[in-house]
Amino acid sequence: GMLVCNRGEVAIRICRAAAELGIRTVAVYSEDDTQSLHTKKADVAVLLAGAGVGASAYLNQEAMLEVAKQQGCSAVHCGYGFLSENPDFVASVEEAGLTFIGPPSTAIKLFGDKTKARELAQSVGVPLLPGTTQAVSLEEAKEFFESLDGEPMMIKALAGGGGRGMRPVFVQDELEAAFERCQSEALGAFGDGAVFVEKLMVKPRHIEVQVLADGQGGVTHLYERECSVQRQNQKVVEIAPSPSLSSSLRERLLSDAIKLVRAAHYRSAATVEFLVDKEMADDSAYAFMEVNPRLQVEHTITEEICDVDIVQTQLHIAAGATLDTLGLAEVGSPEPPRGFAIQCRVNLETMQADGTSEPAGGVLTQYEEPGGRGVRVDSFGYAGYETSPNFDSLLAKLICYSSAPDYTSAVSKTRRALREFKIAGVETNIPFMLNM
């Protein structure tokens, strides 16, 4: 069987993929998470007794390995978040003789270190924003800012991402305060206060490429996703493929992503993230940002346009399949399949007067999902569910696909489906998305 070290919608997503392949699944849950729907979607659900409450239970490596042993699991899938990018946990899974559904711990370590990832990109000729490849002191940050001749700079945590430990600097006077703020945020979020600096792309578009590698020499892409609609540095709406990339730029991004993943001797699914300059039509105006060595929240839209189950593909690869045997070796021309898929993240949140949002909580007194052709909902919501402030505010992902060649069909389908949600008892960001 397979242990699923996660909760909520992603745990359900993994359990469903496994069930269709006849794989037994074991779910885990913390003492304060007994009501989460993922506990009902696995073959067995095990309480993480004494592992703590909230996220800390799902981060408890010893407890996870103990459950895997007790339940006789041969494989472990972490989804995204929690332990999915923890090289120490993955190494201990490998040492216990279990199969980790994902990349080897060495690849996770490589891409978790921004410096090493940047060095790898540089070595294979993938463009980077001008910046430092290692941690800098305040003095070095000042020198770099001066070298940019009035162009803005970004200070970033070396150890992590997710919008934390990041601060733009537009004028010299802001630099010192921003630098100290980043260091303390990075220390708090990642246990490491080191920061690096790079030139800031002022109006970037966020394009990411989905890559699959079989660990036996086969590497391919499943096209790109546009993730430029963000709020408070978090993605809200994602689109596949990007509605506004030129063919030549698409070709370059896809081949750079493959080059990078191949150089890392990678296995399983990965996402290579790029920043593309909004202002410039020039194809060279893009830069490598990072690699996420795991499944991503927005993997769903790629599945819709390519008709590939990415989680099942991860399972097949872990069992020794090659991209060739899976019929995925050659996705073909740089032009993506027809149609568009859009994902909207439905979060539990209250809008503040200043336009920002705060996580909301309570009991879902009503919960009805939209349906119809080309509409998919990945969620763990149900009427009567009491939300927990100890977990992420993501409740559901709405995924809409339209095979029409014009992007507007997918947009109108998405708006129709958003309006069809009936959620009461807790506020969500659906009004915000309908007003965009």
Side-chain angles (χ1 to χ4, degrees), residues 32-112:
D32 59 339
D33 206 18
T34 57
Q35 300 305 302
S36 180
L37 196 58
H38 77 278
T39 59
K40 309 270 188 290
K41 299 289 182 190
D43 295 296
V44 185
V46 180
L47 172 67
L48 293 165
V53 294
S56 64
Y58 293 96
L59 288 166
N60 191 313
Q61 303 184 29
E62 291 71 31
M64 293 294 182
L65 290 167
E66 188 51 42
V67 173
K69 203 166 92 180
Q70 268 171 14
Q71 293 291 326
C73 295
S74 57
V76 174
H77 200 311
C78 289
Y80 31 77
F82 297 136
L83 292 168
S84 63
E85 290 177 87
N86 186 312
D88 300 334
F89 178 65
V90 178
S92 52
V93 167
E94 292 164 346
E95 278 153 28
L98 306 173
T99 302
F100 179 73
I101 310 295
S105 55
T106 47
I108 294 182
K109 206 170 191 154
L110 165 69
F111 289 129

Side-chain angles (χ1 to χ4, degrees), residues 131-404:
T132 63
T133 43
Q134 67 287 318
V136 291
S137 65
L138 179 60
E139 283 314 304
E140 290 166 322
K142 282 180 176 163
E143 277 172 34
F144 179 74
F145 185 68
E146 278 158 22
S147 76
L148 290 174
D149 283 341
E151 295 268 353
M153 164 176 101
M154 186 67 119
I155 305 173
K156 282 185 176 178
L158 206 59
R164 289 182 295 247
M166 279 166 68
R167 283 279 180 287
V169 177
F170 294 93
V171 290
Q172 184 82 46
D173 300 355
E174 302 168 347
L175 201 152
E176 197 161 332
F179 188 87
E180 281 161 12
R181 186 86 185 268
C182 271
Q183 279 191 319
S184 66
E185 267 187 29
L187 192 61
F190 314 114
D192 179 354
V195 296
F196 70 103
V197 289
E198 64 183 20
K199 184 179 168 181
L200 172 66
M201 206 182 269
V202 185
K203 285 190 174 168
R205 287 172 45 217
H206 191 121
I207 306 283
E208 58 186 35
V209 178
Q210 177 69 62
V211 180
L212 296 171
D214 58 21
Q216 302 176 60
V219 186
T220 194
H221 68 80
L222 296 179
Y223 299 96
E224 82 288 344
R225 299 183 284 258
E226 170 99 40
C227 303
S228 302
V229 182
Q230 300 190 14
R231 184 145 151 249
Q232 287 150 261
N233 282 331
Q234 299 290 338
K235 297 169 189 168
V236 188
V237 177
E238 296 110 353
I239 307 153
S242 166
S244 52
L245 273 190
S246 68
S247 299
S248 52
L249 181 51
R250 170 174 287 123
E251 212 167 325
R252 290 180 69 162
L253 294 174
L254 298 176
S255 74
D256 274 359
I258 286 179
K259 214 163 27 175
L260 199 58
V261 168
R262 180 168 276 135
H265 306 296
Y266 197 85
R267 183 187 70 236
S268 198
T271 296
V272 184
E273 306 207 357
F274 295 95
L275 293 176
V276 175
D277 198 327
K278 232 182 201 150
E279 298 302 300
M280 294 168 72
D282 175 17
D283 277 356
S284 62
Y286 70 95
F288 164 70
M289 190 167 64
E290 62 184 5
V291 173
N292 288 312
R294 54 172 167 80
L295 189 69
Q296 271 193 253
V297 181
E298 59 274 23
H299 74 278
T300 56
I301 48 176
T302 297
E303 293 185 323
E304 298 309 310
I305 64 160
C306 293
D307 197 20
V308 173
D309 186 311
I310 293 174
V311 179
Q312 288 186 356
T313 304
Q314 285 186 302
L315 294 168
H316 289 309
I317 287 170
T322 64
L323 294 177
D324 235 352
T325 57
L326 294 170
L328 292 170
E330 209 33 79
V331 175
S333 78
E335 287 311 305
R338 211 168 102 128
F340 290 93
I342 300 174
Q343 173 174 283
C344 292
R345 300 191 190 190
V346 178
N347 295 325
L348 299 168
E349 62 184 43
T350 310
M351 281 296 289
Q352 305 298 308
D354 65 357
T356 60
S357 63
E358 288 294 318
V363 176
L364 292 174
T365 52
Q366 184 185 22
Y367 179 81
E368 284 177 37
E369 295 173 351
R373 187 160 170 255
V375 174
R376 162 181 169 186
V377 180
D378 281 17
S379 175
F380 64 110
Y382 60 90
Y385 176 63
E386 184 171 359
T387 70
S388 167
N390 298 335
F391 300 108
D392 191 74
S393 64
L394 179 68
L395 173 69
K397 303 188 314 199
L398 169 67
I399 303 109
C400 295
Y401 171 69
S402 166
S403 60

